[in-house]
Each structure stands twice: as C-alpha cells, then as structure tokens.
Amino acid sequence: MTIDLHQLALATIDRAADELGLDGWVRALLHQPERVVTVQVPYTGDDGRIHVVAGYRVAHSTARGPAKGGTRFHPEVTPEEVMGLATLMSVKTAVMDLPLGGGKGGITIDPKLLSETELESLTRSYARAIASTIGPDIDVPAPDVNTDSRHMDWLADEYARVTGVASPAVVTGKSLAAGGSLGRDTATAAGCRTVLLASARRLGLPTDARVVIQGFGNAGAHLARLLAADGMRIVGISDSTGGIHDPAGLDVAAVARTKAAHGSVTHHDAEVVTNTELLALDAEILVPAALEGAVDTGEAEHVRARLVVEAANGPCTAAADDILAARGVAVVPDVLASAGGVTVSCFEWQQNLAGQRWSAATVADRLDTRMRAALEDVWQVAAARSLPLRTAATVLGVGRMAEALQARSGAETSELAS
Ligand code: NAD
C-alpha cells in the first residue's frame, strides 16, 4: 500500500479536532491506540514444517464500547497500517452511532499461497495468540481483505477452546450455522443503497438517474442489482479487467452471468471502456466500489457525476476530494457509505449476546433506519458548520468519541484540563 494510512487517519482526526476545538488530552487519547498487540503466529505447513509469521491486533478506542474491526491477511500488512485502519474504524462506528469502538487485526502473509489446511492452522494459531486481548466485551474481530466466514468460524471455535467461553459474540461475520446474521453478505451494498437514494433525493436527481459503478465484487455487484431494481439506470460497470458502457442502461443480471461465465464484465455485449474512461462517463451518480486511491486528481478533473458515493474504503485521494469539492460534486464519504457491513456486524454481535436470530426483514429494516439516521446527522453537521460531507462525518464521529472520553473521565478531566 502506497498511502500511509496511519498518518492519513491522524490527519483526519486532527482536522475534526481543530473544527471542534478539542482539548489537548482528548487529541492525545485519539492519536494513541489503547492497545497494540504484536504476536508470533506459528503454523504447520503441508510440508510438516513450522512456519512463523507476524500478527497484530489493535484496539484504537473502547470509549463508546468494545473495539470492533476486521482481520486482514495480506503480505503488505504492517503495524502502522493496522493502527490506521483501527483508528478509522473508531470514526466509522461513532458516525453510525453504534455502541462500539474501533479495532483492526492482521497477519503479514499471502494467504493465496496457502492450502485450506494451512489457512486453518494459521487462523487457529492467531486466535490462540490474541485470545487474551479479545472478547465479546473487549474487542470483537470480523472479516476484512482475504478473510471470510470460514476464518471467523475457526477464530470463534479456537477462542472457545482456549478460554472455555463459548460465546459466538467474540467475532462477527460467521457462517449462519455458527451464529452469523442474515443479511451480512449484502449489508454493505444495502447500506450504500439507502444513503445513495436519500442523497440523490436531497440533490433533486431523477429517480431513474444514471449510475456508474466501478468494481463488480461483493459491494459493487449487489449494489448494481439493488439500484437497477429501484429503477435507476446502471450505465457503466467495471472490474479489474476494464469496464462496459451502455447509455440506455445495462442488464445487471446479464452482466453478472457474463462475469460468472467468462471472468470479466468486458465480455458483455456493450461498448468497452477503460477504468479511467469509466470514471468520466456521462451520469448523475458515480460509485467507486473497488480500490482505495482509485480516484486521484487526474480522474477527479473529469468526473461528470453530481454525486459520488464511496462504497469502497478510501477511493478518493485527499487531492481528488479538494477538486471534486471545488467543482461542486457532492461526495458521500466511506465512513458512512460503506458502513452497512459494520452495522450488520453490530447486529450480529447484539443477536449473539441476546441469544436471538433476527429475520432478514428485521435486519434490513434496522439497517435502513440506522443508515438514514446517520446520513441525516451528517447532513445536519455539514449544513450547520458549512462543511463538505466528509469533514462533517469526521467531525460527527470524532465529536461523539470526545464526548464519551470527557463523560467517562469525570473529575480527573477537570484536573487534567486545569
Ligand atoms: P471484492 O474483492 O469482492 O470486489 C472488488 C471489485 O473491484 C472486483 O470486481 C474487482 O475486479 C474490482 N477491481 C479491482 N481492481 C480494480 C481496478 N483497478 N479497477 C476497477 N475495478 C477493480 O471487494 P469488495 O468486498 O466488493 O470491496 C470493495 C471495496 O469496498 C473495498 O474498498 C472494501 O474495503 C470496501 N468495503 C467492502 C465491504 C464488504 O462488506 N464487502 C465493507 C466495507 C467496505
């Protein structure tokens, strides 16, 4: 990863802290993760040998509840990256007003080089190494890049074996059979749809607005399907191999079938465009749902959409953001637009703690309500302080964390402040 995520996260916190005029001690607490754990992760290879890699778990803040955040298996994972991602998770859970803090974990490894048996050995070893620092009331891991429900099921099982505490609430993103929530697979897309439709209404965009979606994976493909069913016209879609364009609107189900059959959306019967051209297509709404940093200054200059909705994490660089703002393009930031996943993760944790299973309709309804409320809160801060939506969202999240820290510090705070 080329961008320094930790520095970016701290700069984000500082900008909001300046806007809010926060005390130095609150800033210091928000800058420093509460807990950073580095662990050895020995695992057994198929060759019978023991290999050892490094793992991390960071709890950035538990001021508003147990730390919450994903687990990334990637060769470029560093402690700094995990700290940065944990910090951004604290902001995200606070923007969504979830009763949770922010955390993140990872292992520096390329999981694509491991067999299923090796992956299980690795994940169980990691679970043993971090077992004393996680728990339903302490820090609750979830999936992230290159991890899914299999890894979470192994983590929950190993945690129960090591601690004797058989609580499925120790991790989220589990399979349904192991206590996962209905609606988790489509949560990010469903949450993004809610804020996209509400933002489009606020901007007076037509109900059959033209939408371009970059990325046709878990977030992008589900979102394309949902928006097409809402009557929006999906005029551009892409994946890592390139994009397709049809000004009359693409048949999303047919594109999905083409991708399943041929591995790429570009085999679909439509005009083929590059990913750069895709971002400049004539449409009212652009949804980056692929990678961080996908929209930089060069792309931002050519965006023709009036509304950009960040389904991906960090798709617009800071410089691109400034250009989009200057050109009057509204950007619904990732901490809000991609928060459907962590929101349903929170629902999974709540269901596990209460020994309940909510219906798919209940999950969808509560997600919709939560996303609408957060969007409304962010627009209100933006209007009251004359801020772009991204800064407004950060101000909202950091403000909520600061309030919790101040409330919890009580008399000691007065001494610190004096
Ligand atoms: P995914 O791996 O399922 O899909 C990613 C898609 O992006 C694929 O279609 C891939 O072909 C495409 N892609 C990759 N490189 C590209 C490029 N250079 N140009 C265009 N397309 C490219 O991933 P996902 O789960 O859909 O996640 C996408 C983004 O959404 C990430 O930033 C992720 O952090 C964020 N996000 C996902 C979730 C979730 O629950 N899945 C939750 C929050 C945030």
Side-chain angles (χ1 to χ4, degrees):
M1 187 169 304
T2 47
I3 50 173
D4 186 335
L5 259 175
H6 193 215
Q7 288 310 316
L8 188 72
L10 296 186
T12 304
I13 297 259
D14 281 342
R15 202 159 161 186
D18 288 345
E19 177 70 28
L20 292 162
L22 293 183
D23 290 339
W25 70 270
V26 178
R27 285 172 191 254
L29 288 181
L30 294 175
H31 261 235
Q32 182 69 34
E34 283 179 24
R35 185 172 49 245
V36 180
V37 178
T38 303
V39 292
Q40 302 168 329
V41 189
Y43 69 96
T44 310
D46 289 342
D47 56 5
R49 292 168 53 198
I50 307 283
H51 305 261
V52 184
V53 290
Y56 313 94
R57 184 73 203 170
V58 173
H60 169 260
S61 173
T62 59
R64 292 173 41 84
K68 186 90 196 78
T71 310
R72 183 171 287 202
F73 288 1
H74 195 276
E76 286 165 28
V77 163
T78 63
E80 290 75 24
E81 181 189 86
V82 180
M83 283 195 276
L85 291 166
T87 308
L88 293 173
M89 280 306 295
S90 296
V91 178
K92 200 182 248 193
T93 55
V95 169
M96 294 307 300
D97 206 10
L98 303 174
L100 295 167
K104 204 82 184 185
I107 301 181
T108 312
I109 194 160
D110 185 351
K112 297 192 172 102
L113 303 178
L114 303 191
S115 69
E116 182 83 355
T117 322
E118 290 173 324
L119 267 183
E120 180 170 351
S121 170
L122 176 84
T123 310
R124 288 186 182 277
S125 174
Y126 176 66
R128 289 192 292 278
I130 64 166
S132 61
T133 68
I134 61 171
D137 303 322
I138 303 167
D139 181 355
V140 185
D144 189 63
V145 175
N146 291 330
T147 59
D148 54 35
S149 59
R150 288 171 307 156
H151 307 84
M152 297 306 111
D153 289 356
W154 292 328
L155 238 160
D157 185 63
E158 198 64 26
Y159 176 82
R161 286 169 193 263
V162 171
T163 64
V165 179
S167 173
V170 66
V171 296
T172 61
K174 302 174 295 289
S175 65
L176 278 178
S181 177
L182 290 164
R184 178 64 183 83
D185 289 353
T186 53
T188 302
C192 189
R193 165 188 175 256
T194 295
V195 296
L196 184 149
L197 293 179
S199 303
R201 256 196 309 279
R202 274 180 173 270
L203 294 175
L205 300 181
T207 51
D208 65 343
R210 293 165 301 164
V211 184
V212 168
I213 300 180
Q214 183 198 42
F216 202 62
N218 181 288
H222 285 305
L223 182 65
R225 182 177 50 77
L226 293 173
L227 293 178
D230 289 324
M232 294 221 158
R233 285 174 289 156
I234 313 300
V235 297
I237 284 177
S238 74
D239 59 25
S240 58
T241 61
I244 48 173
H245 174 221
D246 184 344
L250 293 154
D251 177 344
V252 175
V255 175
R257 284 195 296 276
T258 305
K259 174 141 175 105
H262 303 285
S264 163
V265 297
T266 56
H267 291 276
H268 189 72
D269 183 19
E271 179 197 356
V272 173
V273 294
T274 65
N275 258 299
T276 306
E277 289 163 349
L278 181 102
L279 297 171
L281 288 176
D282 193 14
E284 283 76 36
I285 303 170
L286 172 64
V287 183
L291 295 179
E292 50 213 35
V295 183
D296 206 348
T297 50
E299 290 81 15
E301 297 279 5
H302 298 104
V303 167
R304 288 154 87 180
R306 286 187 53 204
L307 173 64
V308 172
V309 182
E310 294 186 331
N313 277 312
C316 298
T317 64
D321 218 28
D322 292 342
I323 292 172
L324 292 172
R327 296 186 55 228
V329 180
V331 179
V332 183
D334 50 2
V335 284
L336 174 60
S338 77
V342 71
T343 302
V344 174
S345 263
C346 177
F347 294 168
E348 179 177 333
W349 173 73
Q350 291 173 325
Q351 289 170 75
N352 292 157
L353 288 177
Q356 296 175 349
R357 164 143 303 162
W358 302 351
S359 69
T362 300
V363 171
D365 195 45
R366 291 184 183 183
L367 174 62
D368 189 66
T369 304
R370 187 63 77 155
M371 298 301 304
R372 278 177 202 281
L375 181 71
E376 186 60 32
D377 291 345
V378 170
W379 277 100
Q380 271 181 17
V381 174
R385 293 178 177 265
S386 299
L387 294 172
L389 293 174
R390 185 188 310 283
T391 318
T394 315
V395 165
L396 180 70
V398 170
R400 284 177 175 158
M401 279 193 276
E403 273 171 25
L405 287 169
Q406 279 156 344
R408 291 165 55 131
S409 302
E412 215 178 301
T413 315
S414 324
E415 283 170 33
L416 282 167
S418 61

